[in-house]
Amino acid sequence: MSVQVVAPIDILEAALDHLGQVVQFSPAVRGPSHVVVTVTGVEQSSAPAAFGRYLVGALAGAVGIDAQLSEQLLARGVDRREEMRRTVLSLIGKSNDFPTEEDELFRDMRRNAWMGEGVGHALLMLSARHKTTCVDGQICALAEVHQTPTRQGLDSVGMYVQADVLGVAIGENKTTCSYASKNLGEAIKLFVEVERGVHGPDLRAKLSAFRYVLPSHLQDQVKDALWTDNASYLPMIVYQDEYDFLRERPTLAKLGQPLERRRVIVVRLSGFHAFFDAVADAMRAAVEEVVV
């Protein structure tokens, strides 16, 4: 009996399809300084395995800046598979055992932080497939997943469209078991820097790249003023211990973008470490599935 071989791009499409079925985005709830969008379902069924496959696919070149999956640049062959295995193990470790304080620091500050950022990237990819409350529109371009967990600068930059009007989605991801308030405060500092022009060169470079994957009738909207005139700020917090995200954040309230475009995206996990262990296991296994 022949064994059916599933193409890597089909595995990645199935992973995103599964996430699209189980992940839910709440309506945006208005607070005094921002709105809150709650994401649920990320721990359901085989969602951690789907996240793991997606992240390996993103590292292997399957996710384009047009926010679409493509096999054109997808890594192939034995040499690329070994390269990808080394990359994955450097990001998440060879196992889920962290016996020393140094190992735990790697888990919390590097492994989980990087995977939390990857979860946020996947949520924006879902927002390219159908409209969600992450942004007021639909994602149509998305910068790549960071290749290293300690890279400085913007965690995510995307572009979205609503009624043929473009906006820029600027995200900052924080992953924490117990310190949601502190981590949200740290994320907000990034948007203060954006308004001070600290990240202008990075934003202009990404918008310039996005321009060429947009439909021709939208390209003329991509100008330097776009990220100041029509941006959404998206602090994304993956956490476990309860925190009231509707509480007023005065620094967030002072930012220049309208309240509806200050969107705090929250993903609460009932089993914080178990979730990331499951995603890590899935990533290690997915190298063999995705790079063939």
Side-chain angles (χ1 to χ4, degrees):
M1 183 173 64
S2 63
V3 178
Q4 183 177 7
V5 178
V6 181
I9 199 68
D10 293 333
I11 291 172
L12 298 176
E13 287 284 359
L16 277 176
D17 286 344
H18 181 68
L19 292 176
Q21 292 168 8
V22 301
V23 174
Q24 302 293 321
F25 300 81
S26 76
V29 179
R30 188 182 180 94
S33 57
H34 56 279
V35 298
V36 174
V37 174
T38 302
V39 180
T40 57
V42 300
E43 295 174 289
Q44 292 294 316
S45 183
S46 57
F51 279 118
R53 288 181 174 127
Y54 173 78
L55 289 177
V56 171
L59 289 170
V63 181
I65 63 170
D66 58 354
Q68 302 292 324
L69 291 178
S70 169
E71 58 185 345
Q72 186 173 0
L73 289 176
L74 181 61
R76 294 180 175 87
V78 175
D79 291 343
R80 292 289 185 263
R81 188 185 310 130
E82 290 307 309
E83 171 201 307
M84 189 53 50
R85 183 176 287 108
R86 289 193 300 270
T87 298
V88 166
L89 295 183
S90 72
L91 288 168
I92 66 173
K94 295 180 179 179
S95 75
N96 297 330
D97 294 326
F98 303 97
T100 69
E101 288 187 8
E102 183 179 2
D103 293 331
E104 289 186 355
L105 188 65
F106 168 83
R107 177 196 65 188
D108 297 338
M109 303 304 294
R110 293 175 64 87
R111 185 195 80 152
N112 291 355
W114 184 85
M115 286 193 289
E117 185 178 324
V119 167
H121 197 276
L123 297 181
L124 291 176
M125 272 292 285
L126 294 181
S127 301
R129 294 189 154 213
H130 55 88
K131 188 175 179 179
T132 75
T133 48
C134 274
V135 291
D136 186 22
Q138 191 161 357
I139 293 289
C140 56
L142 186 60
E144 74 283 357
V145 172
H146 286 172
Q147 305 292 314
T148 60
T150 55
R151 176 177 168 182
Q152 298 298 309
L154 305 171
D155 282 348
S156 65
V157 180
M159 192 168 284
Y160 62 94
V161 61
Q162 174 75 304
D164 278 345
V165 176
L166 286 177
V168 179
I170 304 171
E172 175 71 359
N173 294 72
K174 296 295 180 182
T175 303
T176 176
C177 186
S178 304
Y179 303 102
S181 178
K182 178 183 177 181
N183 277 256
L184 176 57
E186 290 296 320
I188 292 169
K189 291 178 182 178
L190 181 281
F191 305 108
V192 174
E193 292 178 353
V194 167
E195 297 206 343
R196 289 176 178 170
V198 172
H199 300 281
D202 193 7
L203 282 163
R204 278 186 287 272
K206 286 183 169 58
L207 296 190
S208 178
F210 291 159
R211 186 175 185 274
Y212 296 99
V213 301
L214 294 174
S216 57
H217 71 283
L218 296 176
Q219 291 180 357
D220 286 345
Q221 294 184 42
V222 184
K223 299 177 181 179
D224 177 63
L226 186 60
W227 62 272
T228 54
D229 293 348
N230 193 23
S232 285
Y233 297 152
L234 309 177
M236 299 186 182
I237 312 296
V238 182
Y239 72 109
Q240 177 177 284
D241 293 354
E242 186 172 355
Y243 173 70
D244 179 12
F245 282 93
L246 284 171
R247 185 179 302 173
E248 184 175 10
R249 306 295 301 218
T251 303
L252 201 52
K254 294 176 183 177
L255 295 176
Q257 298 298 333
L259 183 145
E260 290 295 326
R261 298 209 298 268
R262 294 178 243 133
R263 298 194 172 214
V264 178
I265 316 297
V266 299
V267 183
R268 188 179 184 189
L269 302 173
S270 61
F272 186 84
H273 292 301
F275 172 80
F276 286 113
D277 284 350
V279 175
D281 285 339
M283 287 186 67
R284 296 184 195 101
V287 172
E288 299 289 334
E289 299 175 312
V290 173
V291 186
V292 298

